[in-house]
Structures are given as structure tokens and as C-alpha cells.
Amino acid sequence: MTSPSAVPPGGTVSDYYSSLGPLLQMAWDDNFHFGYWDGPSDTRSVREATDRFTDLLVERLRVGPGDRVLDVGCGIGKPAMRLASATGAHVLGITISELQVKQATESARLAELSDRVAFQYADAMAMPFDDAAFHAVLAFESINHMDRPTALREMARVLRPGGRVVLTDVTPPSDGSYRPEHDPAVVTSLTRLEDWPGLVGDAGLVLDELTDVTENTKDTAHRMIDGILRCRREFEARHGVSVQEVLNTAKSALPTVASAGCAIVVAHKP
Ligand SMILES: C[S@@+](CC[C@H](N)C(=O)[O-])C[C@H]1O[C@@H](n2cnc3c(N)ncnc32)[C@H](O)[C@@H]1O
């Protein structure tokens, strides 16, 4: 477990996760993404619901043993390890945070998956990989931190013909309250669900699925708040930093995510 550091003014995505990551791990899970529940009668825990969401994306990748999958914005590696275990594929996770590379690499070593799962620092908007290097690309709740057209073009470039891109995006609250010009966040931006067919087509990909899963992910916000309240004392004792301080430094992204929706996008390279 690492200790949080403050996000400097104008801080980067990497600063944001250095600050919020340790709190997310304690209050939520090592999966840094939304949970997926079938409805009010679904009693899955946060761990189960976040793994479930991973499984729903993994099945859409359609990969198997020997395939090479790129996990764009891999967090601390939990989805990549689950993907490799479930499919037998080789997975390379990239993130813009050196700290996450370190944590994810250590987790893969402990899980004895280092022969098939690796992590490296790389910017998804300028990837250091050859064209057509991967059979499939996963981007789980990471493209909201990127310039979408640039990131999608890069994903299309490194993908083999016939390969699939499977991603989730955070969508604006349906009440129209999201105002990009009022959001000082440098770390996240939202786009409407209706923009996705155009984004995919402009990147040279063919859209296979666009599903609004907001009804399934909407419990994420209140469960995360519950988690933060539950671990508050333990977090502050362990890290010597107040939870409020962490939330203040991360607040550029939190108000939007708290009432945001979620979409699954699947596309392939012709
Ligand atoms: C919400 S987390 C999701 C992590 C992981 N996919 C998961 O589901 O647990 C967003 C991730 O995107 C990464 N990220 C954001 N911008 C990036 C960029 N330009 N290049 C590579 N990774 C980036 C962050 O470092 C972080 O790992």
C-alpha cells in the first residue's frame, strides 16, 4: 500500500491517481472502475460487481490462449490479471502512472502471472508499439482521461485487422448538469453517448455495440461514499492524511463521476 500525495494545481492524471489511488483501494477495490449490478435484488459485493464488469468486457474481446491483448489505462492491474487468467491470453497493460506500473507489476508477480501479464509506462495517445501488434484492445474506464479521437486512432493503429476494441466510457449525467466549460478538471472530460458512432468511424473502426449500462452501474457512487465513510478512520490512521484533503485535491473529477453514467463500446478493425 502506498501513501497518497497531494495533486498540485494543474496536476496530471498521474498526480490524481497518486492521491486518490490509496483511498480507492481501501474504500472501493483494486478494480478502479464501476461496479455492475443486475438490479435492486442483486446482492453482489463491490468486489464481485467490479469483477463482474470485467468479465462482461473480457467475453466481448473474443481472445484465447496465445493472443496478445493491450490493456489501455490498466490501473493497478486487476482487470489485466483477470483477463489473462480467464482466457489464457498474454496481456500488456499501459498506464500514465509510474506508481501504478510498480504496483501492478508486483501484483502480477505475487499472482505468478508475470510470464503472461506485464505492465509498462506509456501514453495511450502516443503508443510506443508497432502497427497491428495486438489481437485486441481493452480500455476500461480510461478514455475519459484522454483526447478520445487521438486515443482511438492509436488503438486502431496497434490493432490487427479483425481485432476488437472493447471499452467503457463515463457519460454525462442525464439531467444535463455537466458543463465542460465549468469543469476545471484537467484529468477527465465527458462526451455524450450519441457522439460514439462518429468517434469510432473517424478512427477507422466499425461499431459493433454501443450499450448504455447506467442502470447497472448507478449504485457505484453511493457505494463508494459508503466505503469512504467506513474506512475513513483507518485510512487517516494509516496514511496520516485526512480523507477530506484527498477528496478536495481530487474534486476536479469527483462531482462529475458521482452522478455520471456508463457505456460499453465495442468496435473492430476492418
Ligand atoms: C479509472 S482508472 C481505470 C483503471 C483500470 N482500467 C481498471 O479498470 O481498474 C483510469 C486509468 O487510465 C490511465 N490513464 C489515463 N490517461 C492515460 C494515458 N494518456 N495513457 C495511459 N494511461 C492513461 C490512468 O493512469 C488509470 O490507470
Side-chain angles (χ1 to χ4, degrees):
M1 180 70 68
T2 52
S3 283
S5 52
V7 179
T12 62
V13 172
S14 173
D15 299 326
Y16 170 73
Y17 281 103
S18 298
S19 173
L20 199 62
L23 180 59
L24 272 179
Q25 280 188 267
M26 203 184 273
W28 185 247
D29 191 75
D30 285 0
N31 282 319
F32 288 179
H33 58 246
F34 289 177
Y36 187 103
W37 290 271
D38 285 330
S41 60
D42 185 339
T43 57
R44 282 183 180 83
S45 65
V46 165
R47 173 161 302 174
E48 290 166 336
T50 52
D51 277 344
R52 166 110 193 273
F53 204 178
T54 304
D55 295 343
L56 291 172
L57 300 189
V58 167
E59 70 192 30
R60 286 164 163 82
L61 285 168
R62 298 189 185 161
V63 293
D67 286 343
R68 277 174 54 80
V69 183
L70 180 67
D71 180 4
V72 172
C74 60
I76 56 173
K78 193 171 176 187
M81 291 192 289
R82 192 167 175 90
L83 158 58
S85 301
T87 64
H90 285 72
V91 185
L92 176 62
I94 61 166
T95 168
I96 201 83
S97 157
E98 295 280 12
L99 180 64
Q100 290 183 343
V101 173
K102 219 168 118 200
Q103 285 183 275
T105 303
E106 178 60 5
S107 294
R109 190 186 68 77
L110 291 173
E112 299 183 353
L113 282 168
S114 304
D115 56 332
R116 281 194 298 116
V117 183
F119 301 95
Q120 77 178 65
Y121 178 93
D123 185 349
M125 292 182 287
M127 295 194 215
F129 307 122
D130 290 340
D131 296 357
F134 297 93
H135 294 89
V137 174
L138 171 69
F140 202 166
E141 216 173 298
S142 57
I143 204 161
N144 47 295
H145 294 303
M146 303 170 196
D147 176 65
R148 288 174 179 79
T150 309
L152 281 168
R153 269 197 306 275
E154 275 295 84
M155 291 180 206
R157 182 183 67 74
V158 301
L159 195 60
R160 288 190 176 192
R164 298 188 125 200
V165 176
V166 175
L167 64 86
T168 66
D169 195 16
V170 181
T171 52
S174 53
D175 61 8
S177 59
Y178 177 65
R179 295 272 179 279
E181 64 277 20
H182 294 147
D183 190 340
V186 287
V187 298
T188 195
S189 74
L190 306 185
T191 195
R192 296 169 314 155
L193 195 69
E194 308 87 90
D195 297 330
W196 268 101
L199 284 165
V200 165
D202 288 350
L205 297 167
V206 178
L207 186 66
D208 295 312
E209 178 187 346
L210 175 60
T211 309
D212 184 351
V213 291
T214 303
E215 276 304 304
N216 302 96
T217 59
K218 67 180 182 196
D219 278 359
T220 296
H222 83 80
R223 292 208 189 210
M224 196 173 286
I225 292 165
D226 288 351
I228 290 171
L229 293 174
R230 246 195 330 270
C231 77
R232 188 176 194 130
R233 278 165 188 263
E234 190 191 339
F235 179 86
E236 292 181 349
R238 191 182 299 182
H239 295 293
V241 180
S242 85
V243 163
Q244 195 54 54
E245 215 174 297
V246 174
L247 294 179
N248 285 345
T249 58
K251 69 173 179 269
S252 54
L254 286 177
T256 49
V257 172
S259 51
C262 183
I264 296 176
V265 182
V266 181
H268 71 271
K269 182 168 176 173

